[in-house]
């Protein structure tokens, strides 16, 4: 079963070694475990529904509660403190296109708003009902999850848009194929959600992010069905497929999507290279990416993230031995870890590893083999469970992300980390910040910073701390000329920063598109743009 007020399955726990907990306490001070409210207490706050009865709509209070928030930090504070205030009035689980059509008509007739819901893993407030005077219907797509068509010859498969990561991959893998799309939220996020938020996966360097993988589909809008044929390429005017990507539920409900898959690779490997410092690692990464090697992942951690990963990993004797070896090669406190993934024919992955190591050596890089890479691969979906463990200890953890060109990467990392580190200095609270470059491109890179801070005994104060941190980070991103999101999207939390990026005319174009498909403004209002 999924946790109702945290991340992931109730049966999975991330156990933090005691030395690792001590490491965090040394950095931030002792955490005070918060007093979280119980499910029973929160259920009592769910208001009476304002929606009329309909056979496709559930009014069950637990269902309404579990669809009320996503996974952002404000969502966590609301769920853990019981201060939700607003819930969807009903939740529907359509099975067919005509069910979705019927639900849109029902929403129009009842004067309601619709929130399309995939896996509810949004971290920017995408699926939260707004404090509106009208009823809210959440449409959970999880039952529209079937493999509809498999076109082996064209390397395309069509799925119900509500299919989640593991089910989609299982269907493709059973046929010797893979989509290769692995956001860290893979276990619970869905194909429709990935498309609507322009998601990137951990191996997107090799397989492509969702904008490359999404070939076409069907969207039920308040004005009728929008069909997007899955052409391999087209010069027939502006690309409607591109317009649907990142639409965040504002145009309609994506009911099915066709994706471009690839054959399962013959081999797949992950290994680590350590650099003397971040600048040298960055330069090596920039050169490696320009070689267009068959790599699936390049992920470069700053010194602070490298140190944090080593301390949190446990295995103290192994890490001590590694650090001794690196120290002999003059890699000390500023050392940075680059994780490399490679997939394809065995001869090709071997050859690409040789080239990567050769380039890395030029920048003082030391190849340490596959054990770290394999450990990362094995635990890549376990890491988010650390949020639950840290919360119980009295620490909150969140991330911010952006992308910018190579000439600005160093300055952006510096500005982002500084902004976050200083954001709570006025109240004497420390913030632990660490960063990695998660997706490298020939023109630049995405930048992903994690910040950990202490939870206050008053949930409102915890929220205020987060608001200061988020505003400091977003303002730094805008000031340094980065995009306000590389992969998480806009939702509510990034909305006010969007204009700086799109300009007045750009915002007007998006707004007009929403109005064209949804003239009455019933689709997920208050998200993406005002
Ligand atoms: C621990 C964790 C790790 C994460 N890691 C990553 C990562 O590595 N990469 C990444 O890109 N993101 C990541 N995310 C963010 C999140 O998982 C993505 O934004 C994901 O794409 C959301 O998918 P979902 O199915 O959960 O959508 P939801 O959260 O349910 O919805 C997100 C938005 O999509 C819309 N939507 C959903 N389904 C449909 C549909 N069928 N039709 C129309 N609109 C729809 C919703 O209305 C909403 O606006 C992470 C989140 C968490 C909590």
């Amino acid at each position: 079963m999924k946790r109702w007020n945290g991340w992931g399955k109730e049966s999975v726990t991330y156990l933090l070694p005691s030395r690792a907990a001590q490491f965090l306490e040394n950095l931030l001070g002792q955490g005070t475990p918060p007093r979280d409210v119980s499910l029973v207490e929160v259920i009592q706050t769910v208001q009476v529904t304002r929606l009329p009865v309909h056979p496709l709509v559930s009014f069950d209070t637990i269902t309404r509660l579990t669809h009320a928030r996503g996974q952002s930090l404000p969502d966590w504070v609301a769920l853990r403190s019981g201060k939700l205030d607003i819930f969807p009035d009903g939740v529907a689980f359509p099975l067919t296109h005509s069910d979705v059509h019927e639900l849109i008509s029902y929403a129009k007739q009842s004067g309601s708003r619709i929130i399309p819901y995939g896996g509810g893993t949004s971290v920017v407030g995408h699926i939260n009902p707004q404090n509106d005077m009208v009823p809210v219907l959440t449409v959970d797509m999880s039952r529209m999850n079937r493999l509809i068509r498999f076109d082996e010859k064209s390397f395309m498969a069509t799925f119900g848009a509500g299919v989640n990561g593991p089910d989609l991959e299982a269907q493709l893998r059973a046929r010797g194929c893979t989509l290769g799309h692995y956001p860290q939220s893979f276990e619970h996020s869905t194909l429709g959600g990935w498309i609507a938020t322009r998601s990137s996966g951990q191996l997107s360097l090799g397989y492509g992010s969702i904008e490359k993988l999404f070939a076409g589909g069907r969207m039920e809008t308040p004005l009728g069905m929008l069909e997007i044929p899955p052409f391999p390429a087209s010069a027939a005017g502006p690309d409607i497929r591109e317009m649907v990507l990142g639409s965040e539920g504002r145009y309609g409900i994506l009911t099915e999507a066709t994706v471009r898959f690839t054959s399962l690779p013959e081999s797949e490997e992950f290994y680590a290279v350590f650099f003397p410092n971040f600048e040298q690692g960055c330069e090596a990464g920039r050169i490696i990416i320009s070689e267009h090697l068959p790599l699936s992942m390049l992920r470069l951690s700053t010194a602070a993230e490298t140190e944090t990963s080593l301390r949190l990993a446990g295995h103290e004797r192994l890490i001590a031995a590694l650090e001794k070896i690196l120290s002999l090669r003059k890699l000390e406190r500023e050392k940075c870890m680059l994780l490399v993934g490679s997939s394809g024919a065995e001869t090709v992955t071997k050859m690409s590893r040789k080239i990567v190591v050769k380039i890395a050596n030029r920048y003082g890089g030391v190849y340490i083999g596959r054990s770290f890479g394999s450990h990362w691969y094995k635990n890549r979906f376990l890491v988010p469970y650390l949020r639950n463990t840290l919360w119980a200890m009295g620490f909150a953890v969140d991330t911010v992300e952006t992308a910018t060109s190579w000439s600005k990467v160093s300055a952006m990392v510096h500005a982002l980390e500084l902004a976050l580190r200083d954001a709570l200095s006025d109240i004497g609270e420390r913030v632990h910040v660490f960063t990695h470059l998660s997706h490298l491109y020939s023109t630049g890179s995405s930048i992903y910073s994690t910040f950990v801070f202490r939870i206050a005994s008053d949930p409102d104060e915890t929220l205020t701390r987060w608001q200061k941190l988020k505003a400091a980070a977003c303002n730094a991103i805008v000031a340094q000329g980065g995009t306000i999101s590389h992969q998480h999207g806009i939702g509510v939390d990034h909305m006010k920063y969007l204009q700086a990026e799109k300009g007045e005319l750009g915002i007007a174009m998006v707004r007009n598109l929403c109005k064209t498909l949804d003239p009455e403004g019933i689709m997920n209002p208050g998200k993406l743009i005002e």
Side-chain angles (χ1 to χ4, degrees):
M1 235 185 31
K2 255 191 350 186
R3 283 187 173 83
W4 68 274
N5 63 353
W7 175 252
K9 296 173 195 149
E10 276 180 358
S11 55
V12 180
T13 303
Y14 188 118
L15 295 172
L16 195 63
S18 58
R19 288 268 179 99
Q22 191 60 55
F23 167 75
L24 279 177
E25 284 179 353
N26 290 345
L27 288 168
L28 299 172
Q30 180 97 38
T32 311
R35 189 210 157 264
D36 295 335
V37 296
S38 68
L39 180 60
V40 175
E41 285 171 279
V42 187
I43 286 174
Q44 282 159 8
T45 66
V46 180
Q47 304 100 349
V48 176
T49 182
R50 296 165 292 180
L51 279 169
V53 172
H54 189 284
L56 287 172
V57 181
S58 163
F59 300 104
D60 171 61
T61 37
I62 295 192
T63 308
R64 287 173 59 202
L65 164 63
T66 53
H67 287 79
R69 290 292 185 278
Q71 287 289 327
S72 72
L73 203 83
D75 295 339
W76 270 54
V77 173
L79 287 162
R80 301 273 180 159
S81 65
K83 293 185 172 186
L84 274 88
D85 300 335
I86 176 144
F87 300 83
D89 290 271
V91 183
F93 296 86
L95 258 177
T96 62
H97 297 287
S98 54
D99 284 353
V100 174
H101 183 82
E102 163 65 25
L103 287 166
I104 293 179
S105 305
Y106 161 78
K108 279 188 198 166
Q109 279 155 20
S110 57
S112 320
R113 306 281 182 255
I114 289 186
I115 300 179
Y117 185 101
T121 66
S122 161
V123 283
V124 287
H126 280 122
I127 49 101
N128 301 0
Q130 300 295 288
N131 211 345
D132 237 339
M133 299 313 287
V134 294
V136 175
L137 172 68
T138 292
V139 178
D140 181 320
M141 295 299 289
S142 59
R143 290 172 75 189
M144 292 187 73
N145 62 354
R146 282 186 320 111
L147 173 62
I148 298 163
R149 271 181 302 282
F150 183 77
D151 182 349
E152 190 176 6
K153 200 165 184 180
S154 314
F155 287 87
M156 287 198 291
T158 304
F159 287 91
V163 66
N164 66 27
D167 288 349
L168 177 145
E169 261 309 298
Q171 292 273 14
L172 291 180
R173 281 181 179 248
R175 292 163 176 80
C177 310
T178 177
L179 185 64
H181 190 69
Y182 301 108
Q184 205 180 39
S185 56
F186 175 77
E187 283 181 320
H188 300 292
S189 54
T190 65
L191 178 57
W194 299 339
I195 295 163
T197 60
R198 293 191 87 103
S199 156
S200 287
Q202 292 163 335
L203 307 188
S204 285
L205 174 59
Y207 296 98
S209 58
I210 203 70
E211 58 248 45
K212 182 179 161 209
L213 302 172
F214 172 51
R218 298 175 84 179
M219 181 179 263
E220 192 67 46
T221 80
L223 285 194
M225 178 71 81
L226 183 68
E227 289 268 3
I228 308 164
F231 298 121
S234 165
D239 191 349
I240 291 171
R241 189 191 66 90
E242 268 289 340
M243 295 176 197
V244 164
L245 281 157
S247 55
E248 303 196 351
R250 290 298 309 258
Y251 305 160
I253 301 179
L254 201 59
T255 51
E256 61 180 51
T258 300
V259 289
R260 301 167 173 138
F261 59 75
T262 47
S263 302
L264 274 169
E266 184 186 306
S267 76
E268 194 166 46
E269 61 172 33
F270 296 89
Y271 52 90
V273 179
F274 278 76
F275 289 92
N277 57 48
F278 187 63
E279 295 307 323
Q280 278 173 276
C282 252
E283 208 39 29
R286 196 178 67 81
I287 303 299
I288 292 167
I289 203 79
S290 69
E291 293 286 327
H292 302 289
L293 298 168
L295 300 176
S296 55
M297 182 180 84
L298 281 173
R299 179 188 161 120
L300 177 69
S301 299
T302 56
E305 180 164 300
T306 303
E307 166 82 0
T308 305
S309 307
L310 295 178
R311 300 288 82 89
L312 297 197
H315 309 293
E316 282 153 36
R317 278 167 56 189
L318 217 67
I319 304 272
L322 169 73
E323 292 196 302
K324 205 167 171 190
I325 294 168
L326 292 175
S327 168
L328 291 173
R329 305 282 299 271
K330 306 249 177 311
L331 273 67
E332 308 277 0
R333 287 196 59 191
E334 289 305 305
K335 63 183 174 298
C336 290
M337 181 167 68
L338 174 72
L339 284 175
V340 186
S342 177
S343 53
E346 214 160 305
T347 46
V348 176
T349 52
K350 255 190 197 164
M351 186 267 300
S352 86
R353 184 173 2 111
K354 274 191 183 157
I355 300 174
V356 167
V357 173
K358 201 169 154 196
I359 297 172
N361 287 343
R362 271 194 252 145
Y363 294 89
V366 177
Y367 169 71
I368 61 147
R370 294 189 218 172
S371 54
F372 256 80
S374 306
H375 178 79
W376 172 86
Y377 184 71
K378 202 171 123 212
N379 293 304
R380 67 202 197 282
F381 302 130
L382 182 65
V383 176
Y385 286 87
L386 185 55
R387 288 179 90 188
N388 303 325
T389 311
L390 291 181
W391 185 275
M393 288 167 58
F395 299 112
V397 55
D398 199 9
T399 58
V400 285
E401 37 88 49
T402 179
T404 194
S405 46
W406 280 117
S407 50
K408 296 180 186 166
V409 165
S410 273
M412 176 68 86
V413 171
H414 183 70
L416 203 45
E417 291 203 335
L418 194 69
L420 285 165
R421 209 170 287 131
D422 280 357
L424 303 183
S425 55
D426 61 331
I427 52 164
E429 284 294 321
R430 285 171 276 166
V431 183
H432 181 45
V433 188
F434 49 93
T435 302
H436 64 261
L437 308 187
S438 59
H439 298 82
L440 274 60
Y441 303 91
S442 52
T443 57
S445 176
S446 68
I447 296 164
Y448 189 95
S449 292
T450 304
F451 53 98
V452 190
F453 62 101
R454 289 200 296 186
I455 294 167
S457 52
D458 174 6
D460 291 339
E461 167 59 17
T462 303
L463 195 58
T464 305
R465 289 181 188 181
W466 175 84
Q467 281 161 345
K468 282 186 185 171
L469 286 155
K470 184 76 177 175
C474 291
N475 287 326
I477 288 171
V478 173
Q480 295 293 324
T483 173
I484 198 60
S485 177
H486 169 263
Q487 62 200 55
H488 289 160
I490 300 301
V492 175
D493 298 340
H494 292 153
M495 206 159 59
K496 71 174 174 194
Y497 305 98
L498 193 61
Q499 175 130 355
E501 186 166 332
K502 301 258 185 256
E504 223 170 277
L505 213 51
I507 293 283
M509 285 169 74
V510 180
R511 182 170 289 126
N512 284 338
L513 210 49
C514 293
K515 270 194 191 153
T516 303
L517 293 166
D518 176 26
E520 292 165 51
I522 65 169
M523 297 303 311
N524 210 9
K527 321 292 164 59
L528 183 62
I529 52 165
E530 306 229 12

